Amino acid sequence: IFAGFSAKGVKAKSIRERKEAGLESQKSLTYSEIDFALMNQILNTVKTNFGPLYEKGIFLDLGSGVGKACVAAALQHPFEKVVGVETLQILSDIAASAVAERYQ
């Protein structure tokens, strides 16, 4: 899904949008990524320490970037719904573009 979207390129676009909007000092908008293996480790840790996840539960990612954590979570657990919320428009646009390219 994200083969054409390198972390370096996405981060550069994120930085550019923050600069244009005067948001450079907003550290909460700093772009980073999570990989599939780490999401697997996180979900397994939650399951081990807190019990099974609900099959009809919702996965919510605040600050979802381009949606890589959402995709990884959806592939690893049968959540009823997976939701990503992102502040920066460019990252939301990249996520939508990745999905559109994959599922057209």
Side-chain angles (χ1 to χ4, degrees), residues 30-45:
T30 301
Y31 183 77
S32 63
E33 294 189 353
I34 187 168
D35 65 15
F36 189 88
L38 182 56
M39 181 53 71
N40 185 42
Q41 181 182 355
I42 290 167
L43 290 175
N44 284 333
T45 299

Side-chain angles (χ1 to χ4, degrees), residues 13-73:
K13 290 177 181 182
S14 170
I15 291 169
R16 185 172 38 244
E17 182 173 334
R18 285 188 288 138
K19 282 183 181 178
E20 289 171 0
L23 299 171
E24 297 113 319
S25 64
Q26 296 289 325
K27 298 297 181 192
S28 64
L29 298 178
T30 301
Y31 183 77
S32 63
E33 294 189 353
I34 187 168
D35 65 15
F36 189 88
L38 182 56
M39 181 53 71
N40 185 42
Q41 181 182 355
I42 290 167
L43 290 175
N44 284 333
T45 299
V46 170
K47 290 176 189 177
T48 299
N49 293 338
F50 301 104
L53 297 174
Y54 297 108
E55 284 194 28
K56 297 297 180 182
I58 297 172
F59 179 87
L60 175 62
D61 184 7
L62 299 175
S64 59
V66 297
K68 290 184 179 185
C70 291
V71 171

Side-chain angles (χ1 to χ4, degrees), residues 1-5 66 71 91-104:
I1 264 186
F2 299 103
F5 305 97
V66 297
V71 171
L91 300 180
S92 294
D93 292 346
I94 291 169
S97 176
V99 170
E101 284 181 28
R102 174 73 169 114
Y103 293 105
Q104 278 188 341

